[in-house]
């Protein structure tokens, strides 16, 4: 996978880490060092040799552990061994650590995640710390202790249920995050992000016909909403079997630029219409730009949309920041097309069933600054 990541354009686009999840270790620790032991059949040369090989390609390596006594699959966990494990990961050259929450309780989360966070910070190596702490605290994001997670050194956290490779799972996660997006947008920022879970675009696992399970439009919706929410883009698929059209959307530069925008301000769902279910998601971007997603979650029926972008900008960017704007430049992320819009006029769109429109909006003062692709 590391080779394909480098050769197929993913690394150049910013996908810079190969992650190894549960089951990489044995079920018992080394009797002498008390360190975790890599499975000798899967990793006969050990994790450090694998990390060296991956690093030689300019790629980072991510590893998995659990804050409890065992991992979710029953392998050795980190409870009581936080410092030993942190030092081992640093010695092996690990760059990213996902820490699950099985075989533990709230008391263990409150003590274990901060303890492991301190151990990682003191290990001598910069390791991105992914905590699953909030995913084990129920279905109300407004009650979860995100301030303590930030204090514990968590750079990102899994909030809710594990994603599955089907549209039902993806759409449920979108709906859940939309419900709590007002709260979640306030706790995310540079160095501490909400993680909506993995990207399923191009994943053919469990497919009955060898094709990706999510349709191309469903995959676009996931990437669009994840980008508005500033959720990490962690691909879950076999890069060797990803069709070209799915690879194209995964590598879409505009989508990635929104997701990785340097302002670091997460977006939110700002509206859900009762009459037809249309959802409006938006995010403030650097340079006083704005990203907007118009999402039709219905399985049948086209939705006609007329949206006042200036009014929306007051909500997302701040009151009247575009007050004297004569024109807006609107770029469609997925088609690459531009349009020029009178700042006082509504944007009209038709959104087909189970699809979305993903837009980048910018206030401009002269047509001289427009792109050649204006339509």
């Amino acid at each position: 996978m590391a080779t394909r990541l480098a050769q197929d354009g993913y690394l150049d686009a910013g996908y810079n880490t190969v992650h190894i999840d549960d089951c990489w270790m044995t079920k018992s620790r080394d009797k002498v060092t008390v360190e975790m032991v890599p499975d000798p059949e899967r990793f006969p040369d050990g994790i450090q040799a694998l990390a060296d090989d991956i690093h030689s390609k300019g790629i980072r390596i991510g590893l998995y552990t659990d804050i409890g006594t065992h991992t979710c699959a029953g392998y050795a966990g980190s409870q009581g061994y936080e410092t030993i494990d942190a030092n081992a990961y640093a010695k092996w050259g690990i760059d990213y650590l996902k820490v699950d929450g099985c075989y533990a309780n709230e008391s263990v989360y409150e003590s274990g995640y901060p303890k492991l966070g301190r151990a990682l910070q003191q290990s001598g190596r910069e390791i991105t710390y992914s905590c699953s702490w909030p995913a084990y605290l129920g279905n109300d994001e407004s009650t979860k202790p995100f301030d303590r997670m930030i204090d514990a050194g968590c750079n990102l956290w899994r909030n809710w249920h594990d994603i599955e490779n089907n549209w039902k799972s993806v759409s449920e996660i979108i709906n859940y995050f939309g419900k709590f997006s007002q709260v979640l947008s306030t706790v995310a920022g540079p160095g501490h992000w909400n993680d909506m879970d993995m990207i399923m675009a191009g994943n053919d696992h469990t497919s009955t016909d060898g094709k990706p399970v999510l349709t191309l439009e469903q995959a676009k919706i996931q990437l669009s909403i994840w980008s508005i929410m500033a959720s990490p883009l962690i691909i879950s698929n076999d890069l060797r079997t990803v069709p070209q059209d799915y690879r194209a959307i995964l590598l879409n530069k505009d989508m990635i630029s929104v997701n990785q925008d340097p302002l670091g301000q997460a977006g939110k769902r700002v509206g859900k219409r009762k009459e037809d279910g249309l959802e409006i998601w938006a995010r403030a971007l650097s340079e006083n730009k704005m990203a907007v997603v118009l999402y039709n979650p219905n399985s049948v029926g086209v939705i006609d949309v007329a949206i006042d972008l200036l009014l929306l900008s007051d909500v997302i960017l701040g009151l009247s920041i575009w007050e004297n704007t004569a024109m807006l430049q609107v770029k469609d992320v997925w088609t690459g097309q531009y349009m020029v819009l009178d700042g006082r006029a509504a944007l009209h769109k038709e959104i087909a069933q189970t699809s979305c429109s993903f837009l980048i909006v910018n206030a401009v003062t002269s047509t001289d600054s427009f792109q050649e692709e204006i339509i």
Side-chain angles (χ1 to χ4, degrees), residues 169-212:
S169 174
V170 175
S171 60
E172 286 176 350
I173 290 172
I174 291 173
N175 188 57
Y176 179 83
F177 275 80
K179 178 181 177 181
F180 292 104
S181 62
Q182 301 287 336
V183 171
L184 293 175
S185 65
T186 66
V187 301
H192 46 91
W193 307 102
N194 299 298
D195 182 0
M196 299 174 72
D197 211 357
M198 297 175 291
I199 297 296
M200 292 294 159
N203 190 332
D204 57 8
H205 180 64
T206 73
S207 172
T208 58
D209 57 7
K211 298 179 181 179

Side-chain angles (χ1 to χ4, degrees), residues 114-125:
K115 186 175 182 179
L116 182 53
R118 287 191 298 271
L120 290 171
Q121 293 168 4
Q122 295 168 5
S123 70
R125 183 175 181 83

Side-chain angles (χ1 to χ4, degrees), residues 174-371:
I174 291 173
N175 188 57
Y176 179 83
F177 275 80
K179 178 181 177 181
F180 292 104
S181 62
Q182 301 287 336
V183 171
L184 293 175
S185 65
T186 66
V187 301
H192 46 91
W193 307 102
N194 299 298
D195 182 0
M196 299 174 72
D197 211 357
M198 297 175 291
I199 297 296
M200 292 294 159
N203 190 332
D204 57 8
H205 180 64
T206 73
S207 172
T208 58
D209 57 7
K211 298 179 181 179
V213 174
L214 294 190
T215 68
L216 192 63
E217 290 303 314
Q218 291 168 349
K220 288 178 181 177
I221 292 169
Q222 186 187 15
L223 288 166
S224 301
I225 300 297
W226 264 238
S227 295
I228 291 291
M229 290 296 293
S231 179
L233 301 179
I234 302 175
I235 304 171
S236 174
N237 61 34
D238 185 340
L239 298 180
R240 298 168 297 183
T241 62
V242 177
Q244 175 57 36
D245 48 355
Y246 286 82
R247 187 163 76 94
I249 64 171
L250 287 167
L251 298 178
N252 183 288
K253 291 182 179 180
D254 289 316
M255 179 274 293
I256 293 172
S257 73
V258 172
N259 182 272
Q260 298 289 304
D261 186 79
L263 182 63
Q265 184 173 321
K268 54 193 172 185
R269 187 173 70 186
V270 296
K272 183 175 182 178
R273 300 199 316 201
K274 292 182 179 180
E275 63 269 27
D276 54 22
L278 177 82
E279 298 186 14
I280 303 169
W281 297 67
R283 177 184 180 182
L285 304 177
S286 54
E287 301 178 350
N288 289 332
K289 296 180 181 180
M290 177 174 65
V292 179
V293 171
L294 307 173
Y295 166 43
N296 179 356
N298 302 320
S299 59
V300 294
V302 174
I303 296 178
D304 293 317
V305 184
I307 183 170
D308 185 333
L309 292 174
L310 280 181
L311 180 60
L312 182 59
S313 75
D314 287 349
V315 176
I316 297 301
L317 296 177
L319 187 62
S320 301
I321 199 166
W322 288 355
E323 183 176 15
N324 298 317
T325 296
M327 290 173 289
L328 299 176
Q329 181 186 40
V330 182
K331 184 176 185 181
D332 188 305
V333 168
W334 297 124
T335 68
Q337 294 181 319
Y338 290 83
M339 61 187 301
V340 179
L341 185 69
D342 186 315
R344 297 162 296 179
L347 172 70
H348 291 269
K349 282 280 186 178
E350 289 187 348
I351 315 298
Q353 62 270 21
T354 318
S355 69
C356 74
S357 181
F358 188 10
L359 310 170
I360 299 174
V361 187
N362 186 27
V364 290
T365 56
S366 168
T367 54
D368 293 339
S369 63
F370 291 162
Q371 303 290 328

Side-chain angles (χ1 to χ4, degrees), residues 23-42:
C23 307
W24 64 266
M25 68 288 274
T26 60
K27 295 190 176 183
S28 59
R29 292 174 172 268
D30 187 284
K31 294 181 179 179
V32 177
T33 66
V34 203
E35 293 178 352
M36 289 189 181
V37 179
D39 185 292
E41 293 185 7
R42 293 172 175 161

